[in-house]
Amino acid sequence: MLSLSFVACDDELSGLQPFSQGNPETFFTSLANFQTGVDGAYAQIRNYYANPGSGYQGIPDILSDNVVLVQTGRRSNELYYDYRYEANNAGALVLYWSEAYEAVNAANLVIGQIDNLADSPEKDNILGQALAIRAFAHFDLVRLYAQIPTQSGGANSSLGVVYVKVEDGDTGDPFAQPARETVGSNYTEIIGDLEAAAGLVADENGEGRIDRDGVYGILSRVYLYNGEYQKAIDAANQVSTPLAAGADLLDVYEDTTNDGIVFELAIDTGVETGSDDVPAAGNNVGVLYSQSNATSTISEYAVEFEFFNSIDANDLRLPVIQFVGTNQDNDYNAVRKFLGEAGQVNGRLDIKAVRAAEVLLNKAEAQFELGQEGAALTTLDQLRAQRFTTFTGGETGQALEDAIQFNRRVELCFEGHRFFDLKRRGEAIQRSNNGDIIDGSGTPPEILTLPAGDDRFQFPIPQDEINANPNMEQNDGY
């Protein structure tokens, strides 16, 4: 069965012994082997986040109102841009499902054998990472293939996904045919794993791995999605990673610095290859936005015209978001984020999975939802002080909520948030009728509006999964 097959780590783990080829009970006998198992789980998450064809880092923005399809590109991912995905489609639809469950299975192999280790802080740290990975992958599955708790009044009782867990000493049943659980049940399990991980994981685990700040950063997001606003604030307050200064943002997106990074999926830390010298293959996350080379910028998607023009000239994020790309004598608002490391245009960069800026915005939104407008404004201004040369501020009521959401859109654009932010807030996707060329002319989107509550806010369960498991129920509309 596609989602629950016995998978431990990816074939790309060159330099590491793939423990799926042996008996987990005999493989997991040392801290080094347990870390290898955890690193295999990280590799599976990286596979679906950084896939150069349909990476989870980019498709949620392509589904939203942040970008417009460029007609002189390859028209990649147009199926998703036009909301024409069906259960038989491949690409992102199957990639996310299969790779996320492979990450879950790899984490479960570690969790199931963890008592092979003697009690120690190192054992706790391994278990904490594995629990966090299991929760993170399930969260990615349920927010895409199911509703989000704050999306509608009945979301918690609607169909979620299968939450795959193992008991001590267990390796899972590859022939199981489980039914989907509810969204509410999924979030209970996700939060349970993350809260357990928070008490186990080390304060620091190095680049490319989840540590204490990473767990609490993820929790701040999950609590926000779950409508647990005070807990979102409390989790955000546990994150000690400082914001990146506005002047340093370009360095962040060229991988010169890790300022403001709470958790990233790193391409060249040795997590996958055992060497700091060899980058992981296939991490060209920026390829979704452009196929740039040394002489031209072949944009796949450009920054949407009205969105770009809504960003203030005093906003230090502007040159990180956009540059003028030229192809076939046309200029475009090309996407600057994830273009490449300094001097490169290959799109190969670390994936910024959780940043301190998002954690702060999670906190500001949660404070506003609880009626704590003064605190929300103060939190928002902590971000704006690092993002604008000058700003006015002082908003209240609806203007404050709009400012929080607008800054969230600008800060997190092209990082896989916009589709989910609109979805969880029960809002429609409303694109402008402007085209792809830099002055707003050119070809506008085929579909301008995805109404709030539309079935297409939930991806269909892949048809292969439906065929393999008679207990697996398809989403409405497919």
Side-chain angles (χ1 to χ4, degrees):
M1 193 171 111
L2 182 63
S3 68
L4 301 179
S5 58
F6 181 78
V7 179
C9 63
D10 192 80
D11 291 340
E12 292 177 1
L13 285 172
S14 54
L16 297 177
Q17 178 72 26
F19 55 81
S20 60
Q21 295 181 4
N23 185 343
E25 294 180 5
T26 58
F27 179 88
F28 288 112
T29 56
S30 69
L31 278 171
N33 283 0
F34 270 96
Q35 189 63 65
T36 296
V38 172
D39 290 345
Y42 284 121
Q44 298 298 346
I45 293 177
R46 189 166 54 247
N47 282 349
Y48 69 86
Y49 263 83
N51 184 280
S54 303
Y56 204 95
Q57 182 85 16
I59 291 293
D61 279 86
I62 290 170
L63 288 164
S64 77
D65 52 358
N66 277 351
V67 298
V68 59
L69 178 71
V70 173
Q71 300 299 307
T72 55
R74 299 175 307 159
R75 310 181 75 87
S76 60
N77 292 302
E78 188 175 7
L79 178 78
Y80 300 97
Y81 179 70
D82 290 337
Y83 308 118
R84 289 185 283 106
Y85 34 86
E86 296 290 344
N88 282 313
N89 298 148
L93 178 67
V94 173
L95 172 73
Y96 303 156
W97 183 270
S98 61
E99 294 293 329
Y101 273 119
E102 287 183 10
V104 168
N105 288 333
N108 274 337
L109 288 173
V110 171
I111 294 165
Q113 303 300 317
I114 195 65
D115 283 339
N116 289 353
L117 293 176
D119 290 345
S120 67
E122 291 78 15
K123 173 185 176 180
D124 289 346
N125 184 38
I126 292 288
L127 178 57
Q129 289 180 76
L131 288 169
I133 291 168
R134 183 168 76 180
F136 190 81
H138 278 116
F139 177 65
D140 282 343
L141 285 162
V142 71
R143 63 178 173 153
L144 185 62
Y145 292 94
Q147 293 187 42
I148 294 172
T150 56
Q151 182 178 351
S152 68
N156 274 330
S157 60
S158 65
L159 286 175
V161 296
V162 176
Y163 205 93
V164 185
K165 299 178 71 172
V166 295
E167 303 298 329
D168 291 345
D170 192 7
T171 57
D173 179 4
F175 303 106
Q177 294 183 330
R180 296 173 68 181
E181 300 159 34
T182 65
V183 167
S185 172
N186 288 161
Y187 274 77
T188 297
E189 297 278 15
I190 290 165
I191 290 168
D193 275 350
L194 288 171
E195 289 178 342
L200 295 166
V201 75
D203 289 344
E204 295 184 8
N205 274 322
E207 186 179 0
R209 295 188 176 115
I210 297 173
D211 56 20
R212 186 177 184 277
D213 266 11
V215 172
Y216 277 109
I218 297 166
L219 267 171
S220 77
R221 184 191 299 177
V222 175
Y223 284 138
L224 186 69
Y225 277 55
N226 204 35
E228 294 183 272
Y229 299 120
Q230 186 57 56
K231 288 185 177 181
I233 295 167
D234 294 342
N237 287 337
Q238 292 292 322
V239 177
S240 61
T241 305
L243 280 171
D248 297 331
L249 281 176
L250 188 57
D251 289 339
V252 172
Y253 289 97
E254 289 184 344
D255 283 356
T256 304
T257 177
N258 280 334
D259 288 357
I261 303 297
V262 177
F263 165 48
E264 70 177 2
L265 296 160
I267 64 170
D268 58 357
T269 62
V271 169
E272 200 174 43
T273 64
S275 168
D276 288 336
D277 301 323
V278 184
N283 282 68
N284 299 69
V285 60
V287 168
L288 273 72
Y289 297 121
S290 70
Q291 301 287 310
S292 298
N293 56 43
T295 59
S296 63
T297 302
I298 307 171
S299 292
E300 299 294 315
Y301 291 87
V303 187
E304 199 279 326
F305 179 76
E306 286 190 6
F307 173 44
F308 172 71
N309 284 285
S310 69
I311 303 173
D312 195 282
N314 290 323
D315 196 325
L316 297 172
R317 295 169 292 199
L318 199 55
V320 182
I321 291 171
Q322 179 266 5
F323 72 104
V324 177
T326 303
N327 187 32
Q328 298 185 23
D329 298 324
N330 290 321
D331 288 340
Y332 301 95
N333 286 315
V335 175
R336 177 64 184 84
K337 278 186 179 180
F338 308 112
L339 187 63
E341 294 182 351
Q344 301 294 319
V345 292
N346 56 12
R348 183 185 293 278
L349 289 163
D350 296 339
I351 297 95
K352 285 74 175 132
V354 182
R355 295 193 292 118
E358 183 212 339
V359 174
L360 206 60
L361 287 160
N362 293 343
K363 179 180 175 180
E365 182 176 339
Q367 289 169 325
F368 181 86
E369 292 291 342
L370 292 176
Q372 302 169 10
E373 290 195 13
L377 179 62
T378 298
T379 302
L380 176 61
D381 284 349
Q382 290 178 41
L383 176 71
R384 292 195 291 197
Q386 294 290 342
R387 297 296 182 263
F388 292 89
T389 53
T390 60
F391 69 95
T392 302
E395 299 93 342
T396 61
Q398 187 62 53
L400 176 57
E401 183 175 26
D402 291 345
I404 293 169
Q405 293 306 318
F406 180 74
N407 275 275
R408 186 178 183 93
R409 183 181 184 186
V410 174
E411 182 71 32
L412 303 178
C413 63
F414 318 127
E415 297 181 42
H417 290 270
R418 180 63 174 167
F419 177 76
F420 296 118
D421 283 341
L422 293 170
K423 174 178 175 174
R424 67 181 175 80
R425 292 175 61 81
E427 299 176 7
I429 295 174
Q430 185 62 60
R431 296 163 168 170
S432 79
N433 199 36
N434 292 293
D436 53 327
I437 298 175
I438 198 167
D439 62 358
S441 63
T443 304
E446 177 182 320
I447 305 295
L448 296 181
T449 303
L450 187 66
D454 192 282
D455 289 336
R456 287 169 289 182
F457 272 105
Q458 287 71 245
F459 266 26
I461 306 300
Q463 190 59 46
D464 283 349
E465 187 69 16
I466 299 293
N467 294 341
N469 180 1
N471 297 317
M472 184 64 63
E473 189 174 343
Q474 184 57 273
N475 281 329
D476 290 341
Y478 299 102

PDB file of all heavy atoms in Angstrom, residues 415-426:
ATOM      1  N   GLU A 415       7.058  30.914   0.354  1.00  0.00           N
ATOM      2  CA  GLU A 415       7.586  29.926   1.300  1.00  0.00           C
ATOM      3  C   GLU A 415       6.537  28.898   1.703  1.00  0.00           C
ATOM      4  O   GLU A 415       6.700  28.179   2.688  1.00  0.00           O
ATOM      5  CB  GLU A 415       8.148  30.642   2.532  1.00  0.00           C
ATOM      6  CG  GLU A 415       9.317  31.550   2.202  1.00  0.00           C
ATOM      7  CD  GLU A 415       9.897  32.247   3.409  1.00  0.00           C
ATOM      8  OE1 GLU A 415      10.047  31.594   4.467  1.00  0.00           O
ATOM      9  OE2 GLU A 415      10.196  33.460   3.315  1.00  0.00           O
ATOM     10  N   GLY A 416       5.432  28.825   0.948  1.00  0.00           N
ATOM     11  CA  GLY A 416       4.468  27.762   1.166  1.00  0.00           C
ATOM     12  C   GLY A 416       3.402  28.034   2.201  1.00  0.00           C
ATOM     13  O   GLY A 416       2.851  27.090   2.776  1.00  0.00           O
ATOM     14  N   HIS A 417       3.042  29.313   2.430  1.00  0.00           N
ATOM     15  CA  HIS A 417       2.079  29.658   3.471  1.00  0.00           C
ATOM     16  C   HIS A 417       0.755  30.222   2.948  1.00  0.00           C
ATOM     17  O   HIS A 417      -0.287  30.013   3.584  1.00  0.00           O
ATOM     18  CB  HIS A 417       2.685  30.684   4.431  1.00  0.00           C
ATOM     19  CG  HIS A 417       3.762  30.152   5.295  1.00  0.00           C
ATOM     20  ND1 HIS A 417       3.533  29.588   6.537  1.00  0.00           N
ATOM     21  CD2 HIS A 417       5.105  30.078   5.094  1.00  0.00           C
ATOM     22  CE1 HIS A 417       4.676  29.196   7.070  1.00  0.00           C
ATOM     23  NE2 HIS A 417       5.645  29.489   6.220  1.00  0.00           N
ATOM     24  N   ARG A 418       0.773  30.971   1.862  1.00  0.00           N
ATOM     25  CA  ARG A 418      -0.376  31.799   1.505  1.00  0.00           C
ATOM     26  C   ARG A 418      -1.656  30.988   1.299  1.00  0.00           C
ATOM     27  O   ARG A 418      -2.727  31.357   1.796  1.00  0.00           O
ATOM     28  CB  ARG A 418      -0.055  32.611   0.246  1.00  0.00           C
ATOM     29  CG  ARG A 418      -1.168  33.518  -0.249  1.00  0.00           C
ATOM     30  CD  ARG A 418      -1.507  34.591   0.750  1.00  0.00           C
ATOM     31  NE  ARG A 418      -2.477  35.523   0.195  1.00  0.00           N
ATOM     32  CZ  ARG A 418      -3.162  36.419   0.882  1.00  0.00           C
ATOM     33  NH1 ARG A 418      -2.980  36.529   2.201  1.00  0.00           N
ATOM     34  NH2 ARG A 418      -4.015  37.221   0.297  1.00  0.00           N
ATOM     35  N   PHE A 419      -1.593  29.880   0.571  1.00  0.00           N
ATOM     36  CA  PHE A 419      -2.775  29.044   0.340  1.00  0.00           C
ATOM     37  C   PHE A 419      -3.374  28.584   1.660  1.00  0.00           C
ATOM     38  O   PHE A 419      -4.590  28.644   1.875  1.00  0.00           O
ATOM     39  CB  PHE A 419      -2.388  27.848  -0.529  1.00  0.00           C
ATOM     40  CG  PHE A 419      -3.497  26.856  -0.784  1.00  0.00           C
ATOM     41  CD1 PHE A 419      -4.514  27.135  -1.682  1.00  0.00           C
ATOM     42  CD2 PHE A 419      -3.510  25.634  -0.122  1.00  0.00           C
ATOM     43  CE1 PHE A 419      -5.529  26.211  -1.924  1.00  0.00           C
ATOM     44  CE2 PHE A 419      -4.517  24.713  -0.359  1.00  0.00           C
ATOM     45  CZ  PHE A 419      -5.526  25.005  -1.260  1.00  0.00           C
ATOM     46  N   PHE A 420      -2.524  28.140   2.581  1.00  0.00           N
ATOM     47  CA  PHE A 420      -3.010  27.639   3.863  1.00  0.00           C
ATOM     48  C   PHE A 420      -3.529  28.759   4.755  1.00  0.00           C
ATOM     49  O   PHE A 420      -4.475  28.554   5.520  1.00  0.00           O
ATOM     50  CB  PHE A 420      -1.905  26.857   4.569  1.00  0.00           C
ATOM     51  CG  PHE A 420      -1.481  25.614   3.839  1.00  0.00           C
ATOM     52  CD1 PHE A 420      -0.185  25.477   3.376  1.00  0.00           C
ATOM     53  CD2 PHE A 420      -2.376  24.585   3.603  1.00  0.00           C
ATOM     54  CE1 PHE A 420       0.216  24.336   2.694  1.00  0.00           C
ATOM     55  CE2 PHE A 420      -1.994  23.437   2.924  1.00  0.00           C
ATOM     56  CZ  PHE A 420      -0.694  23.319   2.466  1.00  0.00           C
ATOM     57  N   ASP A 421      -2.930  29.937   4.668  1.00  0.00           N
ATOM     58  CA  ASP A 421      -3.421  31.053   5.474  1.00  0.00           C
ATOM     59  C   ASP A 421      -4.831  31.460   5.048  1.00  0.00           C
ATOM     60  O   ASP A 421      -5.695  31.732   5.891  1.00  0.00           O
ATOM     61  CB  ASP A 421      -2.469  32.252   5.366  1.00  0.00           C
ATOM     62  CG  ASP A 421      -1.212  32.073   6.204  1.00  0.00           C
ATOM     63  OD1 ASP A 421      -1.231  31.223   7.128  1.00  0.00           O
ATOM     64  OD2 ASP A 421      -0.223  32.774   5.953  1.00  0.00           O
ATOM     65  N   LEU A 422      -5.082  31.509   3.755  1.00  0.00           N
ATOM     66  CA  LEU A 422      -6.434  31.823   3.281  1.00  0.00           C
ATOM     67  C   LEU A 422      -7.401  30.700   3.630  1.00  0.00           C
ATOM     68  O   LEU A 422      -8.535  30.947   4.053  1.00  0.00           O
ATOM     69  CB  LEU A 422      -6.405  32.071   1.773  1.00  0.00           C
ATOM     70  CG  LEU A 422      -5.655  33.321   1.319  1.00  0.00           C
ATOM     71  CD1 LEU A 422      -5.486  33.328  -0.198  1.00  0.00           C
ATOM     72  CD2 LEU A 422      -6.377  34.593   1.767  1.00  0.00           C
ATOM     73  N   LYS A 423      -6.944  29.471   3.490  1.00  0.00           N
ATOM     74  CA  LYS A 423      -7.794  28.317   3.777  1.00  0.00           C
ATOM     75  C   LYS A 423      -8.194  28.271   5.244  1.00  0.00           C
ATOM     76  O   LYS A 423      -9.387  28.147   5.571  1.00  0.00           O
ATOM     77  CB  LYS A 423      -7.055  27.034   3.383  1.00  0.00           C
ATOM     78  CG  LYS A 423      -7.769  25.733   3.754  1.00  0.00           C
ATOM     79  CD  LYS A 423      -6.975  24.525   3.274  1.00  0.00           C
ATOM     80  CE  LYS A 423      -7.616  23.217   3.735  1.00  0.00           C
ATOM     81  NZ  LYS A 423      -6.950  22.021   3.177  1.00  0.00           N
ATOM     82  N   ARG A 424      -7.230  28.409   6.157  1.00  0.00           N
ATOM     83  CA  ARG A 424      -7.526  28.280   7.579  1.00  0.00           C
ATOM     84  C   ARG A 424      -8.395  29.428   8.077  1.00  0.00           C
ATOM     85  O   ARG A 424      -9.125  29.287   9.060  1.00  0.00           O
ATOM     86  CB  ARG A 424      -6.247  28.177   8.398  1.00  0.00           C
ATOM     87  CG  ARG A 424      -5.396  29.418   8.416  1.00  0.00           C
ATOM     88  CD  ARG A 424      -4.118  29.230   9.223  1.00  0.00           C
ATOM     89  NE  ARG A 424      -3.256  30.398   9.128  1.00  0.00           N
ATOM     90  CZ  ARG A 424      -3.419  31.509   9.825  1.00  0.00           C
ATOM     91  NH1 ARG A 424      -4.420  31.610  10.691  1.00  0.00           N
ATOM     92  NH2 ARG A 424      -2.595  32.529   9.680  1.00  0.00           N
ATOM     93  N   ARG A 425      -8.355  30.584   7.393  1.00  0.00           N
ATOM     94  CA  ARG A 425      -9.159  31.738   7.787  1.00  0.00           C
ATOM     95  C   ARG A 425     -10.524  31.751   7.091  1.00  0.00           C
ATOM     96  O   ARG A 425     -11.308  32.681   7.275  1.00  0.00           O
ATOM     97  CB  ARG A 425      -8.398  33.021   7.489  1.00  0.00           C
ATOM     98  CG  ARG A 425      -7.172  33.198   8.383  1.00  0.00           C
ATOM     99  CD  ARG A 425      -6.334  34.407   8.006  1.00  0.00           C
ATOM    100  NE  ARG A 425      -7.096  35.639   8.117  1.00  0.00           N
ATOM    101  CZ  ARG A 425      -7.308  36.299   9.250  1.00  0.00           C
ATOM    102  NH1 ARG A 425      -6.819  35.829  10.397  1.00  0.00           N
ATOM    103  NH2 ARG A 425      -8.002  37.417   9.267  1.00  0.00           N
ATOM    104  N   GLY A 426     -10.805  30.702   6.310  1.00  0.00           N
ATOM    105  CA  GLY A 426     -12.101  30.603   5.642  1.00  0.00           C
ATOM    106  C   GLY A 426     -12.323  31.682   4.603  1.00  0.00           C
ATOM    107  O   GLY A 426     -13.458  32.127   4.392  1.00  0.00           O
TER     108      GLY A 426
END
